[in-house]
Amino acid sequence: MIKANITSTGKYLPKNIVTNVDFEKIIDTSDDWIQNRTGIKQRRLVKKNETTADMSTFAIKDLLKKRNLDPNDIDVIIIATITPDMTFPSTAALVQKNLSANNAWGFDISSACSGFLFALETGSALIKSNRYNKVIVVGADTMSSILDYTDRNTCILFGDGAGAVLLEKSHKHGIIDSKLHIDGNGADFLKMEGGGSLNPTTLDTVNNKMHYVYQNGKQVFKHAIRGMSEVSCEILKRNNLNSNDIQLFIPHQANKRIMDAVANRMGLKPQQMFSNIEYYANTTAATIPICIDEAFESGKISKNNNLIISSFGAGFSWGSMYIKWGI
Ligand code: COA
């Protein structure tokens, strides 16, 4: 049976570091509060004119260099993002042009913090179709473009960044199993209402701050712990894995307290979970591929290891995936 194996990884983080102390100067908050409630110390934010397509392009270049590939080798580019450069054309098209990837087609996927997981499932299906050899899946978000920097409830939580993986065929390694969910009953708890067909952009939508992230933090917090832990436990169970069989668990990096609670419910020890939230905050679709790249580069995951990745985000959307690491 063909499997989609991750054969290279890449990432890009903007150079510009914004610390919690920097936020103390512009909103009523404190470094202590942010660290204690979220685990975040700093985040990276783009400079003016740096976009989701730019960050995705850099992440893919990093991935291609490590695998010694040419952009013309790419068959498909899938970009998971909720902050595309423009509503259309797709970010994937802009990235294809930046790279001169002349043999690629591609598209964007929008599912907020679960975007990368959903895109990875899609990329995996394309590989398993046996029609494509090299599929690149990117998670990238410029969250600073949709945040209200006067709203302390949301602006401290997010950062900008991009991560990418290359999928190729394997018979032994790669994505073994996954379980994904959406539930639109959660739509009102985490959303950006302005600019779509429901509320086309007007002076009123701008004045009413409808082009910014709105979040009911408590509701999202509660559902995130339950959603990620239930679906990840189910993935363990149906693959006959117990907690000791897992070398690394990579949860979506939204809040360290959520991540710890999920790992705990899965019966994992703290050292089995990968975390970099303190440096980058929540980069939405980018958290998991950035973690995958850092975990691999630092030797925290190696060939034949069992990796579980799990996400939760707007929609609600959530899921878990079991990967037998193959490089
Ligand atoms: N600095 C200081 N105080 C803040 C603050 C900040 N940056 N943000 C909120 N507060 C205040 C609130 O206004 C509230 O004050 P009040 O009681 O006077 O109204 C108080 O802190 C407590 O707020 P509460 O909502 O109980 O905090 P919390 O423990 O739930 O933490 C979040 C808030 C946002 C960190 C938390 O709910 C969370 O992480 N939710 C999920 C976020 C998430 O995962 N989002 C991404 C999608 S996956």
Side-chain angles (χ1 to χ4, degrees), residues 27-30 33-34 37-38 113 152-154 156-158 190 215-221 224 252 254-255 257-258 282 312-314:
I27 48 171
D28 180 15
T29 192
S30 68
W33 191 96
I34 299 173
R37 307 308 288 164
T38 70
C113 297
R152 68 178 185 172
N153 291 295
T154 52
I156 53 108
L157 296 172
F158 296 93
L190 184 50
Q215 174 170 247
N216 179 330
K218 275 194 202 314
Q219 285 292 339
V220 175
F221 191 93
H252 169 54
N255 186 315
R257 290 186 292 144
I258 296 175
N282 180 355
F312 187 90

Side-chain angles (χ1 to χ4, degrees), residues 252-290:
H252 169 54
Q253 316 272 304
N255 186 315
K256 185 69 168 33
R257 290 186 292 144
I258 296 175
M259 294 153 59
D260 288 342
V262 173
N264 186 266
R265 288 185 186 195
M266 291 168 69
L268 300 176
K269 299 183 190 77
Q271 58 271 27
Q272 286 171 283
M273 184 181 79
F274 191 86
S275 166
N276 59 16
I277 188 172
E278 60 181 297
Y279 304 112
Y280 308 133
N282 180 355
T283 53
T284 303
T287 65
I288 292 176
I290 291 171

Side-chain angles (χ1 to χ4, degrees), residues 14-79:
K15 306 282 167 289
N16 179 30
I17 296 172
V18 178
T19 65
N20 295 344
V21 175
D22 293 327
F23 274 106
E24 288 177 357
K25 296 169 199 153
I26 58 166
I27 48 171
D28 180 15
T29 192
S30 68
D31 181 30
D32 267 1
W33 191 96
I34 299 173
Q35 282 202 48
N36 289 335
R37 307 308 288 164
T38 70
I40 298 164
K41 287 185 184 164
Q42 60 181 55
R43 71 285 294 141
R44 306 289 189 98
L45 302 185
V46 294
K47 293 261 197 242
K48 202 169 161 36
N49 296 331
E50 196 173 28
T51 70
T52 300
D54 295 334
M55 293 195 295
S56 304
T57 304
F58 287 130
I60 294 176
K61 282 185 176 170
D62 184 28
L63 166 162
L64 292 175
K65 197 171 157 207
K66 288 179 195 162
R67 181 91 174 81
N68 203 14
L69 289 175
D70 183 89
N72 284 326
D73 295 326
I74 305 169
D75 295 315
V76 187
I77 300 168
I78 307 175
I79 312 265

